[in-house]
Amino acid sequence: MHRKGALVAGYTICVGGLLLTAQSEMAVALGLALVALAVSATALAEGTRNDR
């Protein structure tokens, strides 16, 4: 389960990075949002896993 979450976060960060390289301001904003979402979800998952 943890490996699947890491894979999803990795793909989300990759997609966000690709959008960050786009020229559109909307794509850059979406890329930043995706990267921030993936990082925060990963940090949250690590925090809940460490509490157990």
Side-chain angles (χ1 to χ4, degrees), residues 26-44:
M26 181 60 116
V28 171
L30 184 60
L32 283 172
L34 279 175
V35 170
L37 181 66
V39 169
S40 63
T42 304
L44 184 65

Side-chain angles (χ1 to χ4, degrees), residues 11-22 31-32 34-35:
Y11 277 129
T12 306
I13 290 172
C14 285
V15 170
L18 287 173
L19 287 173
L20 284 173
T21 62
L32 283 172
L34 279 175
V35 170

